[in-house]
């Protein structure tokens, strides 16, 4: 009898472990106490002997609303993990709002718990295929915390700048259709951005999956772009450090194999992201800023790229 009960307990624990690994469970565990710490103080009373203490300060209704939002975010992380980035960003924002609207965010403790929970939600990534296979075989699988949050990238097309190489004319076609080209920048700011999902294109005669984005304008600081030319040579376009290159179009269409960098959240928090067709962005806002960006693309359409004092070389 005891061995049968122990077996059921072990089976239940393994089922729970599998369920937990497929959602940002730890993030929800931070948001639940954050909700309580922020929501309860304005309504709490404490008795010390014959003396009753009540914390009836500002923010009663706002504390209740923020606590409810944090609770909803925690529940959604467990029940709808595909919306983890939206829930995580919401938790971060309302935890910051609690600082000025609800007793210093539950005397700073609630805000701290909310920020940690929100960051964990944004950073969580679902198990890979290998990890899922490991779960099915009874293995625990490695834990993952990939910081990510939202978005995308681009650039390169018509260069209106002086050449610095005898072969500069060949490099003006530095964004060939169906060829891989790599953009790096210290800052990348995109406006009018939209993510259209995973698409397919051909690279070197092979069909590959890509992320498809459109944007109205792209500002690139300290641009460096390397692309493969038709004859097998590499074309390199470099802008002066600190200069801002711009890409405009109505809209610009970009096919991306990989976007890696740091996403700036309100200019306060940097979240490392690494988006690929296997790990697409769960949420893309209309305006995004990345720093220390590397973007691998295969195609760019309907764009005009202006690079101040560009240096073009072919190797």
């Amino acid at each position: 009898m005891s061995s049968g009960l122990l077996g059921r307990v072990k089976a239940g624990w393994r089922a729970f472990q599998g369920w937990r690994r497929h959602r940002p469970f730890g993030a929800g565990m931070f948001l639940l106490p954050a909700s309580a710490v922020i929501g309860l103080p304005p309504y709490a009373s404490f008795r010390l002997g014959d003396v009753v203490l009540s914390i009836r300060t500002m923010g009663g209704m706002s504390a209740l609303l923020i606590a409810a939002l944090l609770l909803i975010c925690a529940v959604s992380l467990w029940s709808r993990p595909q919306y983890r980035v939206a829930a995580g960003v919401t938790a971060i924002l309302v935890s910051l709002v609690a600082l000025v609207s609800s007793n210093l965010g539950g005397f700073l403790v609630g805000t701290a718990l909310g920020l940690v929970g929100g960051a964990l939600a944004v950073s969580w990534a679902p198990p890979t295929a290998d990890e899922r296979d490991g779960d099915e075989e009874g293995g625990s699988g490695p834990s993952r915390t990939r910081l990510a949050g939202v978005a995308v990238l681009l650039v390169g097309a018509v260069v209106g700048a002086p050449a610095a190489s005898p072969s500069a004319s060949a490099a003006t076609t530095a964004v060939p259709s169906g060829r891989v080209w790599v953009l790096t920048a210290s800052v990348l700011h995109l406006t009018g951005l939209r993510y259209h999902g995973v698409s397919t294109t051909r690279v070197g005669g092979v069909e590959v999956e890509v992320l498809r984005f459109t944007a109205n304008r792209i500002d690139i600081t300290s641009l460096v772009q390397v692309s493969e030319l038709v004859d097998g040579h590499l074309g390199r376009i470099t802008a002066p450090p600190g200069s801002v290159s711009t890409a405009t179009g109505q809209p610009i269409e970009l096919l991306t194999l990989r976007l890696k960098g740091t996403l700036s959240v309100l200019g306060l928090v940097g979240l490392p992201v690494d988006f690929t067709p296997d790990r697409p962005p769960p949420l893309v806002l209309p305006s995004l800023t990345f720093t220390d960006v590397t973007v691998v693309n295969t195609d760019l359409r309907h764009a005009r790229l202006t690079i101040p004092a560009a240096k073009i070389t072919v190797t």
Side-chain angles (χ1 to χ4, degrees):
M1 180 67 177
S2 60
S3 61
L5 177 60
L6 181 60
R8 287 194 295 270
V9 170
K10 289 182 177 179
W13 177 252
R14 285 195 297 269
F16 169 74
Q17 289 288 79
W19 176 85
R20 179 185 61 81
R21 279 193 294 272
H22 287 78
R23 62 210 69 239
F25 181 78
M29 293 300 293
F30 276 94
L31 295 185
L32 286 179
S35 173
V37 171
I38 291 175
L40 291 181
Y43 302 96
S45 297
F46 305 92
R47 180 178 292 276
L48 297 176
D50 295 331
V51 179
V52 177
L53 302 178
S54 297
I55 309 176
R56 303 295 183 186
T57 58
M58 68 174 184
M61 287 304 297
S62 62
L64 187 61
L65 176 61
I66 289 172
L69 287 173
L70 289 174
L71 181 60
I72 291 171
C73 288
V75 173
S76 75
L77 289 175
W78 293 345
S79 60
R80 294 292 185 271
Q82 63 268 37
Y83 302 124
R84 63 193 177 277
V85 173
V89 171
T90 299
I92 290 172
L93 293 179
V94 298
S95 297
L96 293 173
V97 170
L99 284 173
V100 296
S101 65
S102 178
N103 300 306
L104 282 177
F107 309 105
L108 299 180
V109 176
T111 290
L113 291 172
L115 291 177
V116 173
L120 289 175
V122 172
S123 69
W124 185 85
T128 63
D130 291 339
E131 291 168 344
R132 287 194 295 269
D133 292 342
D135 289 344
E136 295 173 357
E137 295 169 3
S140 60
S143 61
R144 301 150 313 344
T145 300
R146 291 194 194 102
L147 290 169
V150 190
V152 28
L153 155 293
L154 61 85
V155 94
V158 181
V159 179
S165 165
S167 302
S169 59
T172 58
T173 58
V175 189
S177 177
R179 295 177 183 275
V180 174
W181 51 281
V182 180
L183 167 74
T184 58
S186 59
V187 180
L188 181 67
H189 179 69
L190 306 100
T191 56
L193 181 64
R194 293 186 63 189
Y195 170 56
H196 301 275
V198 176
S199 182
T200 59
T201 189
R202 298 189 71 83
V203 176
V206 178
E207 189 171 86
V208 297
E209 290 187 334
V210 292
L211 303 171
R212 181 172 174 262
F213 300 99
T214 58
N216 294 333
R217 180 184 175 93
I218 302 168
D219 296 291
I220 312 109
T221 304
S222 304
L223 174 148
V224 176
Q225 180 179 295
V226 178
S227 59
E228 180 184 354
L229 303 181
V230 177
D231 56 3
H233 292 285
L234 293 179
R236 181 183 179 91
I237 304 176
T238 306
S243 65
V244 178
S245 306
T246 59
T248 55
Q250 293 298 328
I252 304 165
E253 182 178 10
L254 184 71
L255 302 182
T256 301
L257 287 169
R258 185 179 188 184
L259 166 63
K260 183 178 181 179
T262 301
L263 174 65
S264 176
V265 179
L266 302 177
L268 302 174
V269 181
L271 300 177
V273 300
D274 190 354
F275 297 135
T276 66
D278 292 332
R279 299 188 300 273
L283 175 68
V284 173
L285 302 178
S287 179
L288 290 174
T289 300
F290 297 89
T291 59
D292 301 323
V293 178
T294 299
V295 186
V296 182
N297 301 305
T298 66
D299 214 341
L300 182 70
R301 303 165 184 161
H302 318 302
R304 180 177 183 84
L305 177 63
T306 302
I307 305 176
K311 179 180 180 181
I312 306 173
T313 57
V314 176
T315 57

